[in-house]
Amino acid sequence: MLISNMAEAPRNRLPSGYDEDFVDAVEDENLGLICHLPLKEPVLTRCGHRFCKECLEEYFRRQDAQHQPITCPVDREGLDRERDVFPDKATERKVLSFAIKCPSKGCDWTGELRSKEVHLASCLCKLVHCTNENCHVTMHRRHLKEHVTINCMWRILACDHCSEPHPECKMQDHIGQCSKFPVTCSNSCGASIPREMIGNHIEYDCPLTIISCPYEKMGCETKVQRVQVDSHLQSATRLHLDLACAKLTNTEVKLNDTDAKLNNAHSKLNETFVKLNETEEKLEATRKVVEKLETQIFIWRINSFSEIGRQATIDETPSKDSVPFYTDRAERYGYKLKVRIHPNGFAGSFEDHLVGFIFVMEGEYDGILPWPFKKKVNISLIDQQEDPVERQNISPLCVLSKTRPNVFARPVKEENEAFGCFVIPNAKLHSRRYLVDDTLFIQVEISP
């Protein structure tokens, strides 16, 4: 079957083949067996039938959807789509060499089918869309440039006043609110001012704006147009002078009154400073009293010190402990502590020295006390001079441990390891009245 115009080909098949005006008739062997149009991307089956590639693939998809085996549309012979279908390049080259007419109305071009796209890319008769955004007009390509640049309502123009780009159909809306568009002064002074500057012009420049007299603060209540200010000042000179004098007199009275109030405030401030100093002195005195009340003092009297030293040598008794005491002695409440001394030091260490330690002990109130132990401890060796003013106590004696935090923890046995230590040469005990009648006094101060 030969066809000379594609309009004569059946249209109830897949739209895969070429829909062109061919100059010469197309032989049946070059028509797709499904669409009956000139073959497009022709393929050849193992059984010798030619189809458009897209038509055959659509046929296979329908068979898959119906769960049917893949077969040739002509003879129903079974096919393997991967091995039994081949591109037919020879037929494709032949079809592409057929002469066609340009599909654009009014164009006289004819040429090979393979040149169609190249021709249409420059065909002046081809219908094209306007390239301006939002414009949906179509026209022949030969009219495109004129439409885009001159006739299109959506072509972009620059505002004559602010240079902002806007479509031609929107330009009047923009002009209605353009900040640079010149508008006439509302006072009818004749000036044309950019819209954004009109408020500034009326407030500061317009000669017809009504403003207050420069002597308003002096009491002049006259309001005139800006252009008439100089005339008003000349005609009201006497009035302005009288108002200025009255204002000056009133200001002087207020100044004198303010000066008197300032002097009175200064006197009250001095009185306040005096009272503040008195309050600070009372506060400091109160603080010292509170500190004394909060400070707990334990004094250990050590009798027969020499005998203790001899016993330590003869019996090898290493130490002597104080009576355990609580940090709140009045209520017998608080942390339980004790002091231990070694009168002659240790064998090979600090011989001829008084060495002492202080311990945290297991107490009755440990369950309700905050741990670890954080109170300040100061140990002193008391000078027994009769006049307290002349006494030179050795203080502080205690060196606290900072490397063993467990010594401050709640005791889990009778006593923790010592957390403080002091060492005094025995010779120093006789340098003043530290050792009197073979008796020493060691004072322990506990403060928050």
Side-chain angles (χ1 to χ4, degrees), residues 151-441:
N151 300 325
C152 181
M153 295 177 55
W154 290 97
R155 70 187 187 280
I156 301 300
L157 303 177
C159 175
D160 294 336
H161 309 287
C162 69
S163 300
E164 289 184 5
H166 293 278
E168 191 274 339
C169 60
K170 300 289 185 180
M171 186 58 71
Q172 288 303 315
D173 293 339
H174 165 71
I175 292 297
Q177 56 186 3
C178 177
S179 61
K180 304 293 184 182
F181 185 78
V183 295
T184 303
C185 174
S186 58
N187 288 337
S188 301
C189 71
S192 182
I193 311 295
R195 183 178 278 116
E196 64 181 359
M197 298 298 295
I198 192 67
N200 189 74
H201 164 76
I202 292 174
E203 183 173 359
Y204 299 107
D205 300 322
C206 180
L208 301 184
T209 298
I210 303 296
I211 62 174
S212 299
C213 172
Y215 284 86
E216 180 184 21
K217 292 184 179 180
M218 295 296 180
C220 183
E221 299 178 354
T222 302
K223 295 183 181 296
V224 295
Q225 290 181 329
R226 182 176 280 112
V227 71
Q228 298 174 343
V229 169
D230 289 342
S231 175
H232 166 70
L233 292 177
Q234 291 179 3
S235 62
T237 301
R238 180 62 184 222
L239 172 62
H240 293 159
L241 183 60
D242 291 343
L243 291 173
C245 290
K247 187 73 172 180
L248 181 60
T249 300
N250 185 44
T251 301
E252 185 176 6
V253 172
K254 290 183 178 180
L255 182 61
N256 291 335
D257 183 55
T258 301
D259 188 52
K261 291 180 179 179
L262 183 60
N263 290 334
N264 184 43
H266 188 267
S267 299
K268 290 183 178 180
L269 183 60
N270 287 335
E271 293 176 2
T272 301
F273 280 142
V274 172
K275 291 180 180 179
L276 180 60
N277 290 333
E278 293 175 353
T279 301
E280 288 179 348
E281 292 175 358
K282 291 179 181 179
L283 183 61
E284 179 63 18
T286 302
R287 185 185 64 79
K288 291 180 179 179
V289 171
V290 171
E291 287 182 353
K292 290 181 178 180
L293 291 174
E294 292 180 346
T295 301
Q296 303 296 322
I297 298 177
F298 168 73
I299 297 179
W300 181 21
R301 175 174 176 165
I302 306 172
N303 297 319
S304 303
F305 179 75
S306 301
E307 181 63 24
I308 296 172
R310 285 193 295 272
Q311 290 295 325
T313 302
I314 296 171
D315 301 334
E316 295 184 350
T317 301
S319 64
K320 182 175 180 61
D321 290 355
S322 71
V323 175
F325 60 94
Y326 284 88
T327 53
D328 189 338
R329 297 189 65 207
E331 301 292 337
R332 295 192 59 78
Y333 165 81
Y335 300 93
K336 187 177 182 181
L337 307 176
K338 77 173 181 179
V339 180
R340 174 180 297 161
I341 63 168
H342 295 264
N344 292 316
F346 307 98
S349 300
F350 298 109
E351 295 180 355
D352 298 325
H353 285 72
L354 171 63
V355 179
F357 299 94
I358 187 166
F359 302 81
V360 176
M361 302 183 68
E362 188 175 28
E364 299 178 38
Y365 307 100
D366 292 352
I368 60 173
L369 295 174
W371 296 95
F373 176 79
K374 293 183 178 181
K375 291 185 176 292
K376 298 178 182 177
V377 178
N378 182 37
I379 301 179
S380 305
L381 180 60
I382 298 178
D383 186 353
Q384 300 179 48
Q385 295 286 345
E386 293 183 1
D387 187 354
V389 177
E390 296 182 1
R391 292 177 182 171
Q392 297 181 15
N393 297 342
I394 300 177
S395 175
L397 292 178
C398 188
V399 178
L400 300 179
S401 171
K402 295 183 179 179
T403 59
R404 295 178 297 165
N406 59 307
V407 302
F408 300 105
R410 178 178 177 178
V412 295
K413 53 185 179 179
E414 183 179 358
E415 62 188 39
N416 289 345
E417 297 180 20
F419 69 83
C421 172
F422 60 88
V423 179
I424 305 173
N426 285 338
K428 191 169 184 177
L429 300 179
H430 303 281
S431 62
R432 291 184 63 82
R433 293 178 60 81
Y434 299 115
L435 182 61
V436 179
D437 296 332
D438 208 21
T439 300
L440 286 176
F441 288 91

Side-chain angles (χ1 to χ4, degrees), residues 44-47 56 60 69-72 77-86:
L44 180 65
T45 62
R46 177 174 54 81
C47 52
L56 187 61
F60 287 162
I70 301 301
T71 60
C72 173
E77 183 176 344
L79 295 176
D80 183 323
R81 67 174 65 184
E82 300 296 333
R83 294 181 298 178
D84 297 342
V85 179
F86 314 96

